[in-house]
Each structure stands twice: as structure tokens, then as C-alpha cells.
Amino acid sequence: MIPSACRYLLPSLIKGRGFLLEQTYRVTASKGRAVTGTAASTVDEKRMKTFDDLPGPSLLANLYWYFLRGYLLHTHELQLAHKKIYGPIWKSVMGPFRTIYVADPEMLQVVLRQEGKYPMRNKNDIWKEHRNQRNITYGPFTEEGHKWHKLRTVLNKRMLKPTEAMSYAGGINEVVTDFMDRLQDMRKESSSGDMVNDVANAFYRFAFEGISYILFETRIGSLDKQIPPETQKFIDSIGYMFKNSVYVTFLPKWTRRVLPYWDRYIEGWDNIFYYGNKLIDKKMSEIQSRLEKGEEVKGEYLTYLLSSGKLSIEDVYGSVTELLLAGVDTTSNTLTWSLYHLARNPEIQKTLYDEVIGAVPMDRLPVAEDISRMPFLRAVIKETLRLYPVVPTNARVVNENDIVIGDHFFPKSSFFVLCHYAISKDEKDFPDPEKFLPHRWLRDGAIKHHPFSAIPFGYGVRACAGKRIAELEMHLALSRIIRLFEIKPDPKGGEVKSMTRIILAPTKQINLRFLERKHNQV
């Protein structure tokens, strides 16, 4: 959901500049870890190491890793390889980009705690290029500085507080009910009568319907057997845009005149905004009609944005569409990987089933208030997000102040890539890091880990605005699925790995068997 999940869209791939820091800290090294200390202004720069002293691959080595070794679509795994070779912090030089990779939770904490009031990820990204080309107002993922802070303050309302998120539970459960019906239809369509093919696509349609219902206050039919053509085009355009964004991010600008990827990228965005703006205009017309009739204007998120007077219609156009894109993959990917691992770990699945059944009798649906009585359910989602952070890297550019990490001094304008995937696989914080072990998140069985070792929704003022809603969607959906179905792997499926397509996606289609339990109530 609204990570990115929240999702942090194109964070490590799009190199930019510009990051406001309010205060810098002295950091000292301790067994490969960093701890905060005195202000960097007190540091004698001449006695400290610099970017040039960092270890890291050469340009030729980078080309080798990305192309000959095939890591271009597995950059998350490259984090692990480079951390093993170079340690918790290393450099990379690709053309004009001088990048500092951070793969240690304490070093990560040092950078993120210095974000200041207006944290910035980058300035020169391809999302902004589309907005500039089409004269579209920036949204929460493209805007920066004071304007971003003002925009984010308005957008945060009705989302961040737990009580605000719970107000959407009724609509979410409505979508979950339709999704359960869709699962039944997909089972019946299979030759075995219990197989759901391409689980990731099914969850994508669920998440897309859910976030659209919240943001646009209308159902768009993505869970229908026959998806409305306009809705299908909307969904396809998002995938089209993301697919081509990978190419246009890496390729030099001169290729845009000879290769088709840039035009396809722009076309995808144009279709996305056309449909999103159409839904916003429809809601605006409804509000205007009510006002003309002297009726009270009632509604949830979009009605609040349109009627509050705090945003212009151009701001709403730019913001809601960006929120929509960030609100799909976190939910869909996390649920997909959760069921994949539950199917392969029947004992863990039984523990979850027993908890859900014990917390919510079968004669009623789980609601938001029930989630607090299901710690293992929450642990399953946390462990999934640890193994598969929706966006495996994030980025920061130090723009106004210097920063010290360990015995290295970095001047302003330094570009940092934050390696969340590698950090969440560190054995010091998570023993057996490759194993799916939800129990590690329970109070009575948890092993203490660094608070910045797994932060899938980000940190600070730029953290995911939709975290609470995303969690509610995942908890309600998973609790209802697991109490109705026993999930088993596809006998022909085998092991599925992840690949980097901005987000962590499965390398192949995931098919799972959904066996109805003895009771048949949802």
C-alpha cells in the first residue's frame, strides 16, 4: 500500500541530487557498526577518510556484475555480494554518479536521523520529467521542500492514525469479500478444482480495487470476471509504465530519440493520469451537485481532499494518482509471498490458523478491532516484509551539510543508496536470515534486533503515509483467507526466487492450491 509499498518508487535506480539536513553527526566505528556522536562540524576533515578511500567496484567491475553476471534484474542480491566483498559501506562510480552504498542498520540510522524538516530523495528523476513535459503538478513522491511538506501535511490526514485507518475497515472488508468470491471462481476454473494460478496477479487486482475504493471512493471493477475495458487499460498502463521505466532509467538520454522505451514510458503515464483524473472529475461533479441542492457533503478521502479547500484541483490530480501507484504493490506482493511461504511451512500455517480461529469465531467476519488479538498474524506480515522489502533500496542525497560515517567524511551533495534488503538479511540481527520464521517477531520468542534493521515503511516525516491502511488490508485479507482455505504449494511449482523490477517480484508465476477447510463459511 501507499509505500511502498509505503513503496519508495525508483529510489536507488534514479540518481539525483538534493537532500536537506538540519544537523549532522559524528559517527565512530565499532566492529563494523556506526554509532552517533558529536556534530560533524567539529571533525578535522584532513584527518578523515573520504569517498575515494572507500572500497568498491570499478566501472568495468560494475559492467561485469550487471551484465555478464546478470545482476541487472537482481540488484537486491548484488547488495549481499558487495557487502560480503567490501563491508558495510562501499562506493560505486557509474558515469557522473558517485554513489555511497550503506548496508548497516546503525549507519542507516545516522543518515535517516538527519533528514530535517524537508527530506529529499532526489531532484532529477524520470517521474518529474513526465510531469514537466505534460505540465502536471507534482505529487507527494515528486514534490520537494516546503511545498512537499505542505502537501504531505494535508495528505496525511485521515490515513496515519490507527483510528483513521480503522474507519476504512468496512470498505476493505467489502473488497475482501469480493476477492474471496473471485478466489472461488479461480479454483473452479482450474482442472484440479482447487488451484489458483498466478496468485500475484490475483492479489494485484485485489490491492488495486482496494486502494482505488479508498482514494476514489468508487469501485472500478478490477475483481469482476470481466474487467471493464477502461479499468483494464488503467491496470495495464501501470505495468507498461513501470516496465519501460527500468530501461529509461539506465539508458542515456540520447537513446530516447532512437529507442522506443521513452515514448512508451510517457504513454503509460498519460493513460494513468487520464483515467485517474476522470475519476476525480466524477467525484468533483457529485460534490458540486450536492452543494447546489443544499445537501451535506459526505465522503471519505477524496471528498475530504476536494472539499477541504487546502489543495487545488491540480494538486489533487498530481497527488492521488501517485498515492494510487504506491498503494498497490506493497499489499499485493506481501500477501503473495506470505501465502507462498505459508504453503511451504504447514506448521507455521497451522499456528496462524489456530490463532485466527481462536480470535474470531466463524459466525462473524474479522474486523479491525480483532487484529490486536492476533500477534502471530502480524508477525507473518512482518517476516514477509523483512524477507521481501517491497522496494529493496532507498536513496538520500546530502545537500546542505557534511556527514561523517565511521572514520569517513562526506561533503554535501553526496549520494547515498540505503540497502534495506542486505540490512534485513544481516545475521547479527536475524539469525538464519533466509528462513521464514515469524516467531522471531513475537515478544516471547523474539531476538533483539536493531530498530533500523527492517523498516519496510520507511522512517520519519517521509515514511509511508498509508502504512496503517496497508497493514489493515493485509491483516484482514490474510486472516479471512487462512481460516477458509488450507494453502498448499503447486506440486509442479518448485522454488520461486525474487527479481528486481523496481519492486521485488517473483521470477516466475506462483500457483497455489486452496483447499477448503471443513467449514465453508467466510
Side-chain angles (χ1 to χ4, degrees), residues 44 333 340 375 432:
D44 183 354
N333 267 35
Y340 169 76
D432 296 319

Side-chain angles (χ1 to χ4, degrees), residues 125-163:
D125 71 56
I126 58 174
W127 280 33
K128 289 182 178 180
E129 288 192 68
H130 170 265
R131 307 300 186 272
N132 295 338
Q133 185 171 320
R134 292 295 191 249
N135 196 29
I136 296 173
T137 302
Y138 289 171
F141 296 101
T142 45
E143 191 57 83
E144 304 288 1
H146 176 73
K147 177 65 185 295
W148 167 82
H149 187 267
K150 179 182 177 182
L151 185 66
R152 180 65 188 264
T153 300
V154 177
L155 296 174
N156 281 356
K157 293 185 182 297
R158 305 217 178 173
M159 277 200 177
L160 277 181
K161 294 180 180 179
T163 53

Side-chain angles (χ1 to χ4, degrees), residues 236-406:
D236 293 343
S237 295
I238 294 173
Y240 194 64
M241 181 275 294
F242 276 126
K243 178 181 179 180
N244 286 283
S245 69
V246 175
Y247 298 108
V248 300
T249 296
F250 280 105
L251 292 171
K253 287 189 176 182
W254 66 262
T255 63
R256 297 175 184 179
R257 298 190 299 270
V258 295
L259 297 177
Y261 305 116
W262 178 256
D263 290 339
R264 293 174 181 174
Y265 168 75
I266 294 296
E267 179 188 353
W269 269 124
D270 288 346
N271 290 333
I272 292 166
F273 271 97
Y274 170 80
Y275 188 75
N277 292 357
K278 185 177 180 179
L279 293 177
I280 293 170
D281 289 340
K282 180 182 177 183
K283 177 58 64 174
M284 190 66 161
S285 179
E286 292 174 2
I287 292 173
Q288 186 63 37
S289 178
R290 290 183 211 165
L291 291 174
E292 290 174 356
K293 295 177 182 178
E295 297 176 356
E296 183 180 0
V297 174
K298 291 183 179 180
E300 294 296 339
Y301 197 69
L302 183 55
T303 299
Y304 152 71
L305 293 181
L306 291 171
S307 61
S308 67
K310 297 178 180 179
L311 297 179
S312 68
I313 187 64
E314 289 77 18
D315 287 333
V316 176
Y317 286 150
S319 297
V320 172
T321 300
E322 289 190 10
L323 289 174
L324 172 74
L325 295 185
V328 178
D329 288 308
T330 299
T331 300
S332 60
N333 267 35
T334 305
L335 287 172
T336 297
W337 288 117
S338 292
L339 287 189
Y340 169 76
H341 280 284
L342 289 170
R344 297 168 68 86
N345 294 274
E347 291 185 4
I348 294 176
Q349 184 178 168
K350 185 178 185 306
T351 299
L352 176 60
Y353 170 73
D354 290 342
E355 179 185 77
V356 173
I357 288 296
V360 185
M362 285 302 297
D363 59 357
R364 70 174 179 85
L365 296 180
V367 294
E369 291 77 10
D370 295 319
I371 305 302
S372 62
R373 300 196 302 278
M374 295 187 245
F376 195 70
L377 173 72
R378 302 196 302 276
V380 167
I381 295 298
K382 287 181 180 179
E383 180 69 349
T384 305
L385 286 167
R386 181 192 69 81
L387 284 171
Y388 307 94
V390 180
V391 177
T393 57
N394 202 351
R396 290 292 185 272
V397 182
V398 178
N399 190 42
E400 292 194 358
N401 298 298
D402 305 324
I403 185 172
V404 175
I405 298 180

Side-chain angles (χ1 to χ4, degrees), residues 89-110:
I89 183 170
W90 66 92
K91 69 180 178 184
S92 175
V93 180
M94 292 280 283
F97 304 119
R98 293 162 56 87
T99 306
I100 305 154
Y101 286 82
V102 174
D104 177 271
E106 291 179 11
M107 294 179 181
L108 171 68
Q109 180 180 14
V110 169

Side-chain angles (χ1 to χ4, degrees), residues 392-460:
T393 57
N394 202 351
R396 290 292 185 272
V397 182
V398 178
N399 190 42
E400 292 194 358
N401 298 298
D402 305 324
I403 185 172
V404 175
I405 298 180
D407 55 359
H408 284 79
F409 174 88
F410 301 106
K412 60 184 179 181
S413 297
S414 296
F415 181 81
F416 292 87
V417 167
L418 312 176
C419 301
H420 296 293
Y421 184 85
I423 291 173
S424 68
K425 297 295 182 71
D426 195 319
E427 290 187 352
K428 292 187 289 291
D429 286 296
F430 303 106
D432 296 319
E434 296 297 331
K435 291 185 178 180
F436 181 71
L437 300 173
H439 288 87
R440 70 170 92 238
W441 296 98
L442 299 179
R443 289 183 179 179
D444 57 354
I447 297 175
K448 188 175 181 180
H449 60 270
H450 193 282
F452 281 75
S453 60
I455 50 172
F457 294 101
Y459 168 83

